[in-house]
Amino acid sequence: MHYRLYSPRDFDSLYAIEEMCFEARFRFSRKYMRELVSHSNTVTWFAGKDGRMGGFAIAEWARGASGAIGYIQTIEVAPDRRKQGIGRELLRRIEDSARAASAEAIWLHVHAENAPAIRLYEANGYVREGREEDYYAPGHAALIYGKPLEPELAN
Ligand SMILES: CC(C)(COP(=O)(O)OP(=O)(O)OC[C@H]1O[C@@H](n2cnc3c(N)ncnc32)[C@H](O)[C@@H]1OP(=O)(O)O)[C@@H](O)C(=O)NCCC(=O)NCCS
C-alpha cells in the first residue's frame, strides 16, 4: 500500500469508496465532498495499491483565540482492504498534517454504533468526550472523541 496526498483526479475513486462505506442517507453528497477536499485548511490522504484506491481520510483545522484545533471529517477503507492497518496509518497521517498546521488537539464525531471505528480511535489514544443525540439522523447518535496532539519535535 502506498500513501500520498489527494489530487483532484482522485475524486471519482474517493467517492466510490464513500458509496461502498455508507448507505445513501449517511453519505456526504458529491457536492459537499468536492467542497471539503478542496478547502485550503483541509488535508486528504490517499491509500492505494496497483492503481486502485484502498482508502482515504480527511481532516481540517481551524484557528481560534486559544490556538488551532483539528477535526477528522472521515476515514474510509474499502471493505476488502480492511484489517490491514490502513485505517491506523491514515489516522496517523492526518494527525501529522494537523500537527504540522499547528493544531494542538484533534476531535471527531463517530456513529455511536460504529464499533470498528470506535475501536480504531480508542486504540490510538482518543478519549470519549461527549455524545450528541440525533446527530446523523433521528435515533442515530454521535459520540465525540478527542486527542491532544503533542507538538512536532524540533530536529
Ligand atoms: C473504521 C475503518 C476506517 C477502520 O479501517 P481499517 O483499515 O480496517 O483499520 P485497521 O486495519 O487499522 O484496524 C482495524 C482492525 O484491524 C486490525 N489489524 C490491523 N492490521 C492488521 C493485520 N495486518 N492483520 C490483521 N488484523 C489487523 C487492527 O488491530 C484492528 O482490529 P480491531 O478492529 O479488532 O481493533 C473501516 O472499518 C471503515 O472504513 N469503516 C467504514 C467507514 C467508517 O465508518 N469510517 C469511520 C467514520 S467516523
Side-chain angles (χ1 to χ4, degrees):
M1 193 59 55
H2 68 268
Y3 295 86
R4 62 168 170 78
L5 291 172
Y6 165 88
S7 96
R9 67 174 181 278
D10 298 322
F11 186 80
D12 287 342
S13 323
L14 181 149
Y15 201 77
I17 290 189
E18 172 79 9
E19 288 177 326
M20 281 183 230
C21 287
F22 295 109
E23 55 177 289
R25 65 192 170 135
F26 294 124
R27 267 177 220 149
F28 290 153
S29 68
R30 289 183 79 90
K31 180 170 181 290
Y32 182 78
M33 187 71 99
R34 245 185 229 288
E35 285 169 8
L36 201 56
V37 294
S38 58
H39 279 169
S40 56
N41 60 347
T42 298
V43 71
T44 303
W45 277 98
F46 168 107
K49 195 172 183 183
D50 305 328
R52 218 194 107 207
M53 186 186 253
F56 69 94
I58 307 174
E60 63 189 13
W61 44 86
R63 234 161 280 281
S66 57
I69 185 152
Y71 179 74
I72 297 177
Q73 282 284 356
T74 193
I75 300 187
E76 301 179 24
V77 175
D80 64 340
R81 297 282 198 197
R82 290 184 191 157
K83 293 202 168 265
Q84 299 168 26
I86 298 171
R88 187 184 48 199
E89 179 62 19
L90 287 168
L91 183 58
R92 192 184 72 73
R93 285 174 183 255
I94 53 176
E95 286 175 1
D96 278 354
S97 295
R99 195 181 281 111
S102 306
E104 290 157 14
I106 191 158
W107 68 290
L108 58 95
H109 289 92
V110 59
H111 194 293
E113 285 165 22
N114 190 343
I118 290 169
R119 276 202 302 276
L120 175 70
Y121 296 129
E122 289 186 347
N124 287 282
Y126 287 75
V127 172
R128 185 172 155 178
E129 294 176 348
R131 177 182 173 105
E132 248 179 277
E133 299 303 333
D134 305 326
Y135 178 79
Y136 293 103
H140 292 269
L143 303 181
I144 296 168
Y145 275 83
K147 176 181 177 177
L149 294 176
E150 303 301 328
E152 282 183 313
L153 294 174
N155 288 318

